[in-house]
């Protein structure tokens, strides 16, 4: 059966602006660090995959000196790990407070996929605790229990490298040509495409203007019918899926090859190598 693999942040919920950004800034304040990211600054930081990696962008010689941080690389790495652990605690608290709603359509489409026998998963380079908190928020505990979660530092390279999707399809025993990834950013799309998956994009707060050439469908959201009606707007539909006012599972199934992926030249699990390897992918400088 096919698989539906969701990214987390920006796809299950629009968590970056109202979840991750305040969690980073509260962490910086708690640790007495001389930084506070503005919304504009964070719009650039989200192009860096991984929370620890975003924090490491601070570590210029001037910042290290101003913050009184250790010069020893190992000690500095431990400092960043500590910041990130605290940031994850703050972030999961924000999510559990219920202040950030799920994005339209994600639970509806996931339930439709589950009832149709599709494999369900999340592939994200955010911390696993953060991903699981958002997944349960978006799907509810019962449906969330049917998801496989691949998150955090389980692969050596973060998106846009294809590692996390290659790892997921390998662990699930899937042919990547049978899987649809739902992403919200160019980096995420490049990761999915690099692993041989079809990709649908639901744009989010920081990604509306990004280049999604290569995606098989780009929409503003998956949408939902009344009473909580959210009508999706199609931004790109190169395969002619022609979704209605909200995306349904059949629209995503239409993004898969008619032959079920037979004869696909995309690199699958066998080509990608064992889990944790670094399969070839797009230039990680791409955004």
């Amino acid at each position: 059966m096919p698989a539906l693999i969701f990214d987390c942040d920006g796809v299950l919920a629009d968590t970056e602006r109202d979840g991750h950004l305040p969690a980073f800034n509260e962490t910086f304040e708690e640790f007495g660090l001389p930084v506070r990211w503005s919304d504009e600054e964070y719009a650039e930081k989200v192009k860096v995959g991984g929370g620890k990696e975003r924090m490491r962008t601070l570590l210029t010689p001037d910042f290290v000196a101003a913050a009184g941080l250790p010069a020893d690389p190992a000690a500095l790495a431990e400092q960043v790990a500590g910041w990130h652990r605290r940031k994850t605690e703050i972030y999961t608290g924000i999510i559990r407070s219920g202040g950030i709603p799920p994005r339209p359509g994600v639970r509806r489409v996931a339930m439709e996929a589950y009832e149709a026998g599709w494999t369900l998963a999340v592939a994200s380079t955010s911390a696993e605790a953060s991903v699981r908190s958002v997944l349960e928020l978006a799907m509810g505990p019962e449906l969330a229990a049917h998801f496989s979660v691949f998150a955090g530092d389980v692969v050596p390279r973060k998106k846009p490298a294809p590692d996390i999707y290659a790892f997921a399809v390998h662990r699930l025993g899937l042919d990547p040509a049978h899987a649809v990834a739902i992403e919200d950013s160019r980096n995420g799309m490049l990761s999915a495409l690099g692993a041989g998956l079809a990709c649908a994009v639901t744009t989010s707060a920081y990604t509306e203007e990004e280049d999604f050439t290569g995606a098989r469908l780009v929409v503003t959201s998956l949408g939902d019918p009344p009473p909580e009606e959210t009508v999706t707007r199609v931004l790109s539909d190169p395969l002619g899926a022609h979704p209605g006012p909200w995306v349904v599972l059949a629209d995503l199934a239409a993004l898969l090859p008619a032959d079920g992926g037979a004869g696909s030249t995309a690199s699958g699990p066998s080509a990608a190598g064992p889990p944790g390897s670094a399969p070839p992918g797009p230039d990680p400088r791409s955004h």
Side-chain angles (χ1 to χ4, degrees), residues 8-16 95 100-103 106 134 137-138 204:
C8 179
D9 296 307
V11 171
L12 298 182
D14 217 341
T15 51
E16 293 289 7
I95 296 301
I100 302 176
R103 291 204 65 193
V106 292
V134 177
L137 165 80
S204 61

Side-chain angles (χ1 to χ4, degrees), residues 8-176:
C8 179
D9 296 307
V11 171
L12 298 182
D14 217 341
T15 51
E16 293 289 7
R17 176 171 285 148
D18 297 321
H20 286 289
L21 176 55
F24 276 116
N25 283 335
E26 185 173 336
T27 300
F28 298 152
E29 184 176 358
E30 283 190 9
F31 281 89
L33 299 173
V35 62
R36 183 177 181 84
W37 284 335
S38 67
D39 190 68
E40 293 74 17
E41 289 170 324
Y42 194 64
E44 292 301 311
K45 296 296 181 184
V46 295
K47 297 176 183 178
V48 177
K52 289 189 295 294
E53 289 75 10
R54 291 175 195 171
M55 287 174 160
R56 288 186 193 124
T57 66
L58 296 170
L59 302 180
T60 64
D62 287 346
F63 183 88
V64 170
L69 298 174
D72 175 68
L76 193 56
E78 182 54 37
Q79 287 272 7
V80 172
W83 300 343
H84 189 252
R85 284 192 294 271
R86 178 58 182 145
K87 179 261 172 182
T88 299
E89 292 173 353
I90 295 169
Y91 173 78
T92 55
I94 292 171
I95 296 301
R96 288 170 183 153
S97 73
I100 302 176
R103 291 204 65 193
V106 292
R107 185 181 299 190
R108 173 182 55 79
V109 170
M111 179 59 76
E112 193 177 354
Y114 169 69
E115 291 174 346
W118 286 42
T119 297
L120 294 171
V122 175
S124 170
T125 47
S126 291
E128 183 173 345
S130 297
V131 172
R132 289 190 180 277
S133 66
V134 177
L135 176 64
E136 188 161 317
L137 165 80
M139 300 297 170
E142 292 185 8
L143 183 56
H146 296 286
F147 276 75
S148 297
V149 175
F150 305 96
D153 296 325
V154 294
V155 291
R157 299 183 300 171
K158 303 297 177 74
K159 299 173 183 180
D163 298 35
I164 189 66
Y165 281 107
F167 182 79
V169 296
H170 183 97
R171 289 294 298 270
L172 292 169
L174 299 172
D175 180 342

